[in-house]
Structures are given as structure tokens and as C-alpha cells.
């Protein structure tokens, strides 16, 4: 949409992606969030039924995302709301607002998908790795898969279950 000059459409898409990333953050940090005792954090279903503003505040209050990501998500939500819910007609600000939303989205995505290379292997952040291992079912190609630390944790977890 952005490349075609449909900036309001781009804002809608960026807002939607921000909402999906917020849900992913919940799923990545589910054990920590459930431990807070907040009933709004007990299940994905309860969390998903919250407004985006409330989801952001819940994640923030549980300290599972950075202040930069909180601010970025709030900015995206505000920009989306201004252009879509208040139906601001196309203006010269639409392009700059869409670009700002895109930049804010990058902040959140960098936090979620942060990785580093260790001994030639890509290591992703632990909450994302745990989520991917728990919620995705795919065959691991030869020579790829979980980090050695994760393999050890999974092996220990399986051993505990079998006792």
C-alpha cells in the first residue's frame, strides 16, 4: 500500500501487524504473564478480547517488553486510530504518519526477532525460541534446529516428565 501511495491503507496494515505482534508477545511471555495472577492474562482468549491499548498496558505492567516498544505500539495505535477511526481525510500528513508507523513497527520487530550469531549459529531470543518450539510443528532440517542450550533444556524437560 505504501509503495502505491495508499498511505491510509498502509496505516491500517501497520496497525494490524502491531496488534498481531502484541498477541505474539503475549504468547512468547505466557508463563511470566500467567504468574502475575491477573485474570486478563490467564488465557490467550481473554487477552485477545482486550482493546489494543489495554493489551499494551498489560504487557507493560508485567515488564515483558521494553519502554521503547511500549511507546512504539502506542504511537502506531494512535496513528491508526486518527486516520481510520476518526476518518481523517487524506492529507499531506498521511504519508509521514504511515512512514512513522513503519519506523515504530521496526522497533517492536527488532525486540521480538532480535538474534545474535554464536559460533556460526544464529541464536534467537529465549522467549521467541520457546514459543517457536512449543507452538510450531515442523521437521528440523539436518544440521539446523534448536541451540545446544535449548536441546539441553528440552532433554531435561522430557526426563522430568518421564519420571
Amino acid at each position: 500500500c505504501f509503495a502505491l501511495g495508499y498511505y491510509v491503507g498502509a496505516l491500517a496494515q501497520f496497525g494490524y501487524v502491531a496488534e498481531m505482534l502484541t498477541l505474539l508477545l503475549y504468547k512468547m511471555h505466557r508463563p511470566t504473564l500467567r504468574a502475575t495472577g491477573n485474570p486478563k492474562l490467564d488465557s490467550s482468549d481473554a487477552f485477545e478480547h482486550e482493546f489494543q491499548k489495554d493489551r499494551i498496558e498489560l504487557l507493560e505492567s508485567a515488564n515483558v517488553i521494553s519502554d521503547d516498544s511500549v511507546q512504539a505500539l502506542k504511537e502506531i495505535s494512535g496513528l491508526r486510530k486518527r486516520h481510520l477511526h476518526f476518518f481523517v481525510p487524506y492529507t499531506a500528513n498521511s504519508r509521514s504518519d504511515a512512514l512513522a508507523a513503519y519506523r515504530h513497527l521496526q522497533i517492536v520487530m527488532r525486540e521480538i526477532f532480535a538474534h545474535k550469531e554464536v559460533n556460526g549459529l544464529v541464536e534467537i531470543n529465549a522467549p521467541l525460541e520457546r514459543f517457536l518450539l512449543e507452538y510450531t510443528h515442523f521437521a528440523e532440517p539436518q544440521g539446523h534446529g534448536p541451540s545446544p542450550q535449548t536441546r539441553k533444556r528440552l532433554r531435561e524437560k522430557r526426563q522430568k516428565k518421564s519420571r
Side-chain angles (χ1 to χ4, degrees), residues 44-127:
S44 295
D45 199 42
F47 187 76
E48 287 178 23
H49 283 88
E50 295 293 323
F51 289 109
Q52 177 70 348
K53 175 180 131 328
D54 299 326
R55 289 184 200 133
I56 297 166
E57 289 174 5
L58 287 165
L59 293 172
E60 179 181 26
S61 68
N63 293 316
V64 295
I65 59 174
S66 70
D67 292 341
D68 290 341
S69 286
V70 168
Q71 189 59 39
L73 288 167
K74 287 179 179 180
E75 291 289 333
I76 295 166
S77 184
L79 290 167
R80 181 180 180 273
K81 183 182 285 187
R82 184 171 58 221
H83 285 274
L84 295 167
H85 295 286
F86 299 138
F87 194 66
V88 173
Y90 177 83
T91 65
N93 290 344
S94 298
R95 183 182 191 284
S96 62
D97 285 351
L99 189 55
Y102 176 70
R103 289 187 176 133
H104 291 306
L105 200 55
Q106 288 177 321
I107 292 168
V108 180
M109 291 176 71
R110 270 194 298 272
E111 180 173 336
I112 293 172
F113 300 109
H115 64 278
K116 60 184 176 183
E117 189 174 325
V118 179
N119 297 327
L121 297 172
V122 174
E123 208 172 85
I124 60 177
N125 72 56

Coordinates of all heavy atoms in Angstrom, one line a residue, residues 44-127:
S44 N -5.0 -16.8 26.3 CA -4.9 -16.1 25.1 C -6.2 -15.5 24.7 O -6.3 -14.3 24.2 CB -4.5 -17.0 23.9 OG -3.2 -17.5 24.2
D45 N -7.3 -16.2 25.0 CA -8.7 -15.8 24.6 C -9.0 -14.5 25.4 O -9.5 -13.5 24.8 CB -9.7 -16.8 24.9 CG -11.0 -16.6 24.2 OD1 -10.9 -16.3 23.0 OD2 -12.0 -16.8 24.8
A46 N -8.7 -14.4 26.7 CA -9.0 -13.3 27.5 C -8.2 -12.1 27.0 O -8.7 -11.0 26.8 CB -8.7 -13.5 28.9
F47 N -6.9 -12.3 26.7 CA -6.0 -11.3 26.3 C -6.4 -10.7 24.9 O -6.4 -9.5 24.7 CB -4.6 -11.8 26.2 CG -3.5 -10.7 25.9 CD1 -3.2 -9.8 26.9 CD2 -3.0 -10.7 24.7 CE1 -2.2 -8.9 26.6 CE2 -2.0 -9.7 24.4 CZ -1.6 -8.8 25.4
E48 N -6.8 -11.6 24.0 CA -7.2 -11.2 22.6 C -8.5 -10.4 22.6 O -8.7 -9.5 21.7 CB -7.4 -12.4 21.8 CG -6.1 -13.1 21.4 CD -6.4 -14.4 20.5 OE1 -7.4 -14.5 19.9 OE2 -5.5 -15.2 20.5
H49 N -9.3 -10.5 23.6 CA -10.6 -9.7 23.7 C -10.4 -8.3 24.3 O -11.3 -7.6 24.3 CB -11.7 -10.5 24.4 CG -12.2 -11.6 23.6 ND1 -11.7 -12.9 23.5 CD2 -13.3 -11.6 22.7 CE1 -12.4 -13.6 22.7 NE2 -13.4 -12.9 22.2
E50 N -9.2 -8.0 24.7 CA -8.9 -6.7 25.2 C -8.7 -5.8 24.0 O -8.3 -6.2 22.9 CB -7.6 -6.7 26.1 CG -7.7 -7.5 27.4 CD -8.7 -6.9 28.4 OE1 -8.8 -5.7 28.5 OE2 -9.4 -7.7 29.0
F51 N -8.9 -4.5 24.3 CA -8.5 -3.5 23.2 C -7.0 -3.4 23.2 O -6.3 -3.7 24.1 CB -9.1 -2.1 23.6 CG -10.6 -2.0 23.4 CD1 -11.4 -1.9 24.6 CD2 -11.2 -2.0 22.2 CE1 -12.8 -1.9 24.4 CE2 -12.6 -2.0 22.0 CZ -13.4 -1.9 23.2
Q52 N -6.5 -3.0 22.0 CA -5.0 -2.9 21.8 C -4.4 -2.0 22.9 O -3.3 -2.4 23.4 CB -4.7 -2.4 20.4 CG -3.2 -2.2 20.1 CD -2.4 -3.5 20.0 OE1 -2.9 -4.6 20.4 NE2 -1.2 -3.4 19.6
K53 N -5.0 -0.9 23.2 CA -4.5 0.0 24.2 C -4.3 -0.8 25.6 O -3.3 -0.7 26.2 CB -5.4 1.2 24.4 CG -5.1 2.1 25.5 CD -6.1 3.2 25.6 CE -6.7 3.6 26.8 NZ -7.0 2.7 27.9
D54 N -5.3 -1.6 25.9 CA -5.2 -2.4 27.2 C -4.2 -3.5 27.1 O -3.5 -3.8 28.1 CB -6.6 -2.9 27.5 CG -7.6 -1.8 27.7 OD1 -7.2 -0.7 28.2 OD2 -8.8 -2.0 27.3
R55 N -4.1 -4.1 25.9 CA -3.0 -5.2 25.8 C -1.7 -4.6 26.0 O -0.8 -5.2 26.7 CB -3.1 -5.8 24.4 CG -4.3 -6.6 24.1 CD -4.1 -7.2 22.7 NE -5.4 -7.6 22.2 CZ -5.9 -7.3 21.0 NH1 -5.2 -6.7 20.1 NH2 -7.0 -7.8 20.6
I56 N -1.4 -3.4 25.4 CA -0.1 -2.8 25.6 C 0.2 -2.5 27.1 O 1.2 -2.8 27.6 CB 0.0 -1.5 24.8 CG1 -0.1 -1.8 23.3 CG2 1.3 -0.8 25.0 CD1 -0.4 -0.6 22.4
E57 N -0.8 -2.0 27.7 CA -0.7 -1.7 29.2 C -0.5 -2.9 30.0 O 0.3 -2.9 31.0 CB -1.9 -0.9 29.7 CG -2.0 0.5 29.1 CD -3.2 1.3 29.5 OE1 -4.1 0.7 30.3 OE2 -3.4 2.4 29.0
L58 N -1.1 -4.0 29.7 CA -0.9 -5.3 30.4 C 0.5 -5.8 30.2 O 1.1 -6.2 31.2 CB -2.0 -6.3 29.9 CG -3.4 -6.1 30.4 CD1 -4.4 -7.0 29.6 CD2 -3.5 -6.4 31.9
L59 N 1.0 -5.8 29.0 CA 2.4 -6.2 28.7 C 3.4 -5.3 29.5 O 4.4 -5.8 30.0 CB 2.7 -6.2 27.2 CG 1.9 -7.3 26.4 CD1 2.1 -7.1 24.9 CD2 2.3 -8.7 26.8
E60 N 3.1 -4.0 29.4 CA 3.9 -3.0 30.1 C 4.0 -3.3 31.6 O 5.0 -3.3 32.2 CB 3.5 -1.6 29.8 CG 4.3 -0.5 30.4 CD 3.8 0.9 30.1 OE1 2.6 1.0 29.9 OE2 4.6 1.8 30.2
S61 N 2.8 -3.5 32.2 CA 2.7 -3.6 33.7 C 3.4 -4.9 34.1 O 3.9 -5.0 35.3 CB 1.3 -3.6 34.1 OG 0.6 -4.7 33.7
A62 N 3.5 -5.9 33.2 CA 4.2 -7.2 33.6 C 5.7 -7.1 33.3 O 6.4 -8.1 33.5 CB 3.5 -8.3 32.8
N63 N 6.1 -6.0 32.7 CA 7.6 -5.8 32.4 C 8.1 -6.8 31.5 O 9.2 -7.3 31.6 CB 8.4 -5.7 33.7 CG 8.1 -4.5 34.5 OD1 8.0 -3.4 34.0 ND2 7.9 -4.7 35.8
V64 N 7.4 -7.2 30.4 CA 7.9 -8.2 29.5 C 8.3 -7.5 28.2 O 8.8 -8.2 27.3 CB 6.9 -9.3 29.2 CG1 6.6 -10.1 30.4 CG2 5.6 -8.8 28.6
I65 N 8.1 -6.2 28.0 CA 8.5 -5.5 26.8 C 9.2 -4.2 27.2 O 8.9 -3.7 28.3 CB 7.4 -5.2 25.8 CG1 6.3 -4.4 26.4 CG2 6.9 -6.5 25.2 CD1 5.3 -4.0 25.3
S66 N 10.1 -3.7 26.4 CA 10.8 -2.5 26.7 C 10.0 -1.3 26.6 O 8.9 -1.3 25.9 CB 12.0 -2.4 25.7 OG 11.5 -2.1 24.4
D67 N 10.4 -0.2 27.2 CA 9.7 1.1 27.1 C 9.6 1.6 25.7 O 8.6 2.2 25.3 CB 10.4 2.1 28.0 CG 10.3 1.8 29.5 OD1 9.4 1.0 29.9 OD2 11.1 2.4 30.3
D68 N 10.7 1.3 24.9 CA 10.7 1.7 23.5 C 9.6 1.0 22.7 O 8.9 1.6 21.9 CB 12.0 1.4 22.8 CG 13.2 2.3 23.3 OD1 12.9 3.4 23.9 OD2 14.3 2.0 23.2
S69 N 9.4 -0.3 23.0 CA 8.4 -1.0 22.3 C 7.0 -0.6 22.7 O 6.0 -0.5 21.9 CB 8.5 -2.5 22.5 OG 9.6 -3.0 21.7
V70 N 6.8 -0.3 24.0 CA 5.5 0.2 24.5 C 5.2 1.5 23.8 O 4.1 1.7 23.3 CB 5.6 0.4 26.1 CG1 4.4 1.2 26.6 CG2 5.7 -0.9 26.8
Q71 N 6.2 2.4 23.8 CA 5.9 3.7 23.1 C 5.6 3.6 21.7 O 4.7 4.2 21.1 CB 7.1 4.7 23.3 CG 6.9 6.1 22.9 CD 5.7 6.7 23.6 OE1 5.5 6.5 24.9 NE2 4.9 7.5 22.9
A72 N 6.4 2.7 21.0 CA 6.1 2.4 19.6 C 4.7 1.9 19.3 O 4.1 2.3 18.4 CB 7.2 1.5 19.0
L73 N 4.3 0.9 20.1 CA 3.0 0.3 19.9 C 1.9 1.4 20.2 O 0.9 1.4 19.4 CB 2.8 -0.9 20.8 CG 3.6 -2.1 20.5 CD1 3.6 -3.1 21.6 CD2 3.0 -2.7 19.2
K74 N 2.1 2.2 21.2 CA 1.1 3.3 21.4 C 1.1 4.3 20.3 O 0.0 4.7 19.9 CB 1.5 4.0 22.7 CG 1.2 3.2 24.0 CD 1.5 3.9 25.3 CE 1.2 3.1 26.5 NZ 1.6 3.8 27.7
E75 N 2.2 4.6 19.7 CA 2.2 5.6 18.6 C 1.5 5.0 17.4 O 0.7 5.7 16.7 CB 3.7 5.9 18.2 CG 4.4 6.7 19.3 CD 3.9 8.2 19.3 OE1 3.4 8.7 18.3 OE2 4.0 8.8 20.4
I76 N 1.8 3.7 17.1 CA 1.1 3.1 15.9 C -0.4 3.1 16.1 O -1.1 3.4 15.2 CB 1.6 1.6 15.7 CG1 3.1 1.6 15.3 CG2 0.8 0.9 14.7 CD1 3.8 0.3 15.4
S77 N -0.8 2.7 17.3 CA -2.2 2.7 17.7 C -2.9 4.0 17.5 O -4.0 4.2 16.9 CB -2.4 2.1 19.1 OG -3.8 2.0 19.4
G78 N -2.2 5.1 18.0 CA -2.7 6.4 17.9 C -2.8 6.9 16.4 O -3.8 7.5 16.0
L79 N -1.8 6.6 15.6 CA -1.8 7.0 14.2 C -2.9 6.3 13.5 O -3.6 6.9 12.7 CB -0.4 6.7 13.6 CG 0.7 7.6 14.0 CD1 2.1 7.0 13.5 CD2 0.6 9.0 13.5
R80 N -3.0 5.0 13.7 CA -4.1 4.2 13.1 C -5.5 4.7 13.4 O -6.3 4.9 12.6 CB -4.0 2.7 13.5 CG -5.0 1.8 12.8 CD -4.7 0.4 13.3 NE -5.7 -0.5 12.7 CZ -6.9 -0.8 13.3 NH1 -7.3 -0.2 14.3 NH2 -7.7 -1.6 12.7
K81 N -5.6 5.0 14.7 CA -6.9 5.5 15.2 C -7.3 6.8 14.6 O -8.4 7.0 14.1 CB -6.9 5.6 16.7 CG -8.2 6.1 17.3 CD -8.2 6.3 18.8 CE -8.1 4.9 19.5 NZ -8.2 5.1 21.0
R82 N -6.3 7.7 14.5 CA -6.6 9.0 13.9 C -7.0 9.0 12.5 O -7.9 9.6 12.1 CB -5.3 9.9 14.1 CG -5.6 11.3 13.6 CD -4.4 12.3 13.9 NE -3.2 11.9 13.3 CZ -2.0 12.0 13.9 NH1 -2.0 12.4 15.1 NH2 -0.9 11.6 13.3
H83 N -6.4 8.1 11.7 CA -6.7 8.0 10.3 C -7.9 7.1 9.9 O -8.6 7.3 9.0 CB -5.5 7.6 9.5 CG -4.5 8.7 9.3 ND1 -4.5 9.6 8.3 CD2 -3.4 9.0 10.1 CE1 -3.5 10.4 8.5 NE2 -2.8 10.1 9.6
L84 N -8.1 6.1 10.7 CA -9.2 5.1 10.4 C -10.4 5.3 11.2 O -11.5 5.2 10.7 CB -8.6 3.7 10.5 CG -7.5 3.4 9.5 CD1 -6.8 2.1 9.9 CD2 -8.1 3.3 8.1
H85 N -10.3 5.5 12.5 CA -11.5 5.6 13.4 C -12.1 7.0 13.4 O -13.3 7.1 13.5 CB -11.2 5.1 14.8 CG -10.8 3.7 14.8 ND1 -11.7 2.7 14.7 CD2 -9.6 3.1 15.0 CE1 -11.1 1.5 14.8 NE2 -9.8 1.7 14.9
F86 N -11.2 8.0 13.3 CA -11.8 9.4 13.2 C -12.0 9.8 11.8 O -12.4 10.9 11.5 CB -10.9 10.3 14.0 CG -10.7 10.0 15.4 CD1 -9.5 10.0 16.1 CD2 -11.8 9.6 16.2 CE1 -9.4 9.7 17.4 CE2 -11.7 9.2 17.5 CZ -10.5 9.3 18.1
F87 N -11.6 8.9 10.8 CA -11.7 9.2 9.4 C -11.2 10.5 9.0 O -11.9 11.4 8.5 CB -13.2 9.0 8.9 CG -13.2 8.9 7.4 CD1 -12.6 7.8 6.8 CD2 -13.8 9.9 6.7 CE1 -12.6 7.7 5.4 CE2 -13.8 9.8 5.3 CZ -13.2 8.7 4.6
V88 N -9.9 10.7 9.3 CA -9.2 11.9 8.8 C -9.0 11.8 7.3 O -8.5 10.8 6.9 CB -7.9 12.1 9.5 CG1 -7.1 13.3 8.9 CG2 -8.1 12.3 11.0
P89 N -9.5 12.7 6.5 CA -9.4 12.5 5.1 C -7.9 12.5 4.7 O -7.1 13.0 5.5 CB -10.1 13.7 4.5 CG -10.3 14.6 5.6 CD -10.2 13.9 6.9
Y90 N -7.6 12.0 3.5 CA -6.2 12.0 3.1 C -5.6 13.4 3.2 O -6.2 14.4 2.7 CB -6.1 11.5 1.6 CG -4.7 11.6 1.1 CD1 -3.8 10.5 1.4 CD2 -4.2 12.7 0.4 CE1 -2.5 10.6 0.9 CE2 -2.9 12.7 -0.1 CZ -2.1 11.7 0.2 OH -0.8 11.7 -0.2
T91 N -4.5 13.5 3.8 CA -3.8 14.8 3.9 C -2.3 14.6 3.6 O -1.9 13.5 3.5 CB -3.9 15.4 5.4 OG1 -3.2 14.5 6.3 CG2 -5.3 15.5 5.8
A92 N -1.6 15.7 3.6 CA -0.2 15.6 3.4 C 0.5 14.8 4.5 O 1.6 14.2 4.4 CB 0.4 17.0 3.3
N93 N -0.1 14.8 5.7 CA 0.4 14.1 6.9 C 0.3 12.6 6.7 O 0.9 11.8 7.5 CB -0.3 14.5 8.2 CG 0.1 15.9 8.6 OD1 1.1 16.5 8.1 ND2 -0.7 16.5 9.4
S94 N -0.6 12.1 5.9 CA -0.9 10.7 5.7 C 0.4 9.9 5.4 O 0.7 8.9 6.0 CB -1.9 10.4 4.7 OG -3.1 11.0 5.0
R95 N 1.2 10.5 4.5 CA 2.5 9.8 4.1 C 3.5 9.8 5.3 O 4.0 8.8 5.6 CB 3.1 10.5 2.9 CG 4.4 9.8 2.4 CD 5.0 10.6 1.3 NE 6.1 9.8 0.6 CZ 7.3 9.6 1.2 NH1 7.6 10.2 2.3 NH2 8.2 8.9 0.5
S96 N 3.6 10.9 5.9 CA 4.6 11.0 7.0 C 4.1 10.1 8.2 O 4.9 9.5 8.9 CB 4.9 12.4 7.5 OG 3.7 13.1 7.9
D97 N 2.8 10.1 8.4 CA 2.3 9.3 9.5 C 2.5 7.8 9.2 O 2.8 7.0 10.1 CB 0.8 9.5 9.8 CG 0.6 10.9 10.5 OD1 1.6 11.5 11.0 OD2 -0.6 11.3 10.6
A98 N 2.3 7.4 8.0 CA 2.5 6.0 7.6 C 4.0 5.6 7.7 O 4.3 4.5 8.2 CB 2.0 5.7 6.1
L99 N 4.8 6.5 7.3 CA 6.3 6.3 7.5 C 6.7 6.2 8.9 O 7.4 5.3 9.3 CB 7.1 7.4 6.8 CG 8.6 7.2 6.6 CD1 8.9 5.9 5.9 CD2 9.2 8.3 5.9
A100 N 6.1 7.0 9.8 CA 6.3 7.0 11.2 C 5.9 5.7 11.8 O 6.6 5.0 12.6 CB 5.7 8.2 11.9
A101 N 4.7 5.2 11.4 CA 4.1 3.9 11.9 C 5.1 2.8 11.5 O 5.3 1.9 12.3 CB 2.7 3.7 11.3
Y102 N 5.6 2.8 10.3 CA 6.5 1.8 9.8 C 7.8 1.8 10.7 O 8.2 0.7 11.1 CB 6.9 2.0 8.3 CG 7.9 1.1 7.8 CD1 7.6 -0.3 7.6 CD2 9.2 1.5 7.5 CE1 8.5 -1.1 7.1 CE2 10.1 0.7 7.0 CZ 9.8 -0.7 6.8 OH 10.7 -1.5 6.3
R103 N 8.3 2.9 11.0 CA 9.5 3.0 11.8 C 9.2 2.5 13.2 O 10.1 1.8 13.8 CB 10.0 4.4 11.8 CG 10.6 4.8 10.4 CD 11.3 6.2 10.5 NE 12.0 6.4 9.2 CZ 11.9 7.5 8.5 NH1 11.2 8.5 9.0 NH2 12.5 7.7 7.3
H104 N 8.1 2.8 13.7 CA 7.7 2.3 15.1 C 7.6 0.8 15.1 O 8.0 0.1 16.0 CB 6.4 3.0 15.6 CG 6.6 4.4 15.9 ND1 7.5 4.9 16.7 CD2 5.9 5.5 15.5 CE1 7.4 6.2 16.8 NE2 6.4 6.6 16.1
L105 N 7.0 0.3 14.0 CA 6.9 -1.2 13.8 C 8.2 -1.8 13.8 O 8.4 -2.9 14.4 CB 6.1 -1.5 12.6 CG 5.4 -2.8 12.4 CD1 4.5 -3.1 13.6 CD2 4.7 -2.8 11.1
Q106 N 9.2 -1.2 13.2 CA 10.5 -1.8 13.2 C 11.1 -1.9 14.6 O 11.8 -2.9 14.9 CB 11.5 -0.9 12.3 CG 11.2 -1.0 10.9 CD 12.1 -0.1 10.1 OE1 12.4 1.1 10.5 NE2 12.6 -0.5 8.9
I107 N 10.8 -1.0 15.5 CA 11.3 -1.0 16.9 C 10.8 -2.3 17.5 O 11.6 -3.0 18.2 CB 10.9 0.2 17.6 CG1 11.6 1.5 17.1 CG2 11.1 0.1 19.1 CD1 11.1 2.8 17.6
V108 N 9.5 -2.5 17.4 CA 8.9 -3.7 18.0 C 9.4 -5.0 17.4 O 9.8 -5.9 18.1 CB 7.4 -3.6 17.9 CG1 6.7 -4.8 18.6 CG2 6.8 -2.3 18.5
M109 N 9.6 -5.0 16.1 CA 10.0 -6.2 15.4 C 11.5 -6.5 15.8 O 11.8 -7.7 16.0 CB 9.9 -6.1 13.9 CG 8.4 -6.1 13.5 SD 8.1 -5.8 11.8 CE 8.7 -7.3 11.1
R110 N 12.3 -5.5 16.0 CA 13.7 -5.7 16.4 C 13.7 -6.4 17.8 O 14.6 -7.2 18.0 CB 14.5 -4.4 16.4 CG 15.2 -4.1 15.1 CD 16.2 -3.0 15.2 NE 15.7 -1.7 15.6 CZ 15.2 -0.8 14.8 NH1 15.2 -1.1 13.5 NH2 14.7 0.3 15.2
E111 N 12.9 -5.9 18.7 CA 12.9 -6.5 20.0 C 12.4 -8.0 20.0 O 13.0 -8.8 20.6 CB 11.9 -5.7 20.9 CG 11.9 -6.3 22.3 CD 11.1 -5.5 23.3 OE1 10.9 -4.3 23.1 OE2 10.7 -6.1 24.3
I112 N 11.4 -8.3 19.2 CA 10.9 -9.6 19.1 C 11.8 -10.6 18.4 O 12.1 -11.7 18.9 CB 9.5 -9.7 18.4 CG1 8.5 -9.0 19.3 CG2 9.1 -11.1 18.2 CD1 7.1 -8.8 18.6
F113 N 12.4 -10.1 17.3 CA 13.1 -11.0 16.4 C 14.7 -10.8 16.6 O 15.4 -11.2 15.7 CB 12.7 -10.8 15.0 CG 11.3 -11.2 14.8 CD1 10.3 -10.2 14.5 CD2 10.8 -12.5 14.9 CE1 9.0 -10.5 14.3 CE2 9.5 -12.8 14.7 CZ 8.6 -11.8 14.4
A114 N 15.1 -10.2 17.7 CA 16.5 -10.0 17.9 C 17.2 -11.3 17.9 O 16.7 -12.3 18.5 CB 16.7 -9.2 19.2
H115 N 18.4 -11.3 17.4 CA 19.2 -12.5 17.3 C 20.7 -12.2 17.4 O 21.0 -11.0 17.2 CB 18.8 -13.4 16.1 CG 19.2 -12.7 14.8 ND1 18.4 -11.7 14.2 CD2 20.3 -12.8 14.0 CE1 19.0 -11.3 13.1 NE2 20.1 -11.9 13.0
K116 N 21.5 -13.1 17.6 CA 22.9 -13.0 17.5 C 23.5 -14.2 16.9 O 22.9 -15.3 16.9 CB 23.5 -12.6 18.9 CG 23.3 -13.7 19.9 CD 23.8 -13.3 21.3 CE 23.4 -14.4 22.3 NZ 23.8 -14.0 23.6
E117 N 24.7 -14.1 16.5 CA 25.4 -15.2 15.9 C 26.5 -15.7 16.9 O 27.2 -14.9 17.4 CB 26.1 -14.9 14.6 CG 26.6 -16.1 13.9 CD 27.2 -15.8 12.5 OE1 26.6 -14.9 11.8 OE2 28.2 -16.4 12.1
V118 N 26.4 -17.0 17.2 CA 27.3 -17.6 18.2 C 27.9 -18.8 17.5 O 27.2 -19.8 17.2 CB 26.6 -18.0 19.5 CG1 27.6 -18.6 20.5 CG2 26.0 -16.8 20.1
N119 N 29.2 -18.8 17.3 CA 29.9 -20.0 16.7 C 29.3 -20.4 15.4 O 29.1 -21.5 15.1 CB 30.0 -21.2 17.7 CG 30.7 -20.8 18.9 OD1 31.7 -20.1 18.9 ND2 30.3 -21.4 20.0
G120 N 28.9 -19.4 14.6 CA 28.4 -19.7 13.3 C 26.9 -20.1 13.3 O 26.3 -20.3 12.2
L121 N 26.3 -20.1 14.5 CA 24.8 -20.4 14.5 C 24.1 -19.2 14.9 O 24.5 -18.4 15.7 CB 24.6 -21.5 15.6 CG 25.3 -22.9 15.3 CD1 25.1 -23.8 16.5 CD2 24.6 -23.5 14.1
V122 N 22.9 -19.1 14.4 CA 22.0 -17.9 14.8 C 21.2 -18.3 16.0 O 20.6 -19.4 16.1 CB 21.0 -17.6 13.6 CG1 20.0 -16.6 14.1 CG2 21.8 -17.1 12.4
E123 N 21.3 -17.5 17.0 CA 20.6 -17.7 18.3 C 19.6 -16.6 18.4 O 19.9 -15.5 18.5 CB 21.6 -17.7 19.4 CG 21.2 -18.5 20.6 CD 22.4 -18.6 21.6 OE1 22.4 -17.6 22.5 OE2 23.2 -19.5 21.6
I124 N 18.3 -17.0 18.6 CA 17.2 -16.1 18.7 C 16.9 -15.9 20.2 O 17.4 -16.7 21.0 CB 15.9 -16.5 18.0 CG1 15.4 -17.8 18.4 CG2 16.2 -16.5 16.5 CD1 14.2 -18.3 17.7
N125 N 16.2 -14.9 20.6 CA 15.9 -14.6 22.0 C 15.1 -15.8 22.6 O 14.3 -16.4 21.9 CB 15.3 -13.2 22.2 CG 13.9 -13.1 21.8 OD1 13.0 -13.8 22.2 ND2 13.6 -12.1 20.9
A126 N 15.3 -16.0 23.9 CA 14.8 -17.2 24.5 C 13.2 -17.3 24.5 O 12.7 -18.3 24.2 CB 15.3 -17.3 26.0
P127 N 12.5 -16.1 24.8 CA 11.0 -16.3 24.7 C 10.5 -16.6 23.3 O 9.6 -17.4 23.2 CB 10.5 -14.9 25.1 CG 11.7 -14.3 25.9 CD 12.9 -14.8 25.3

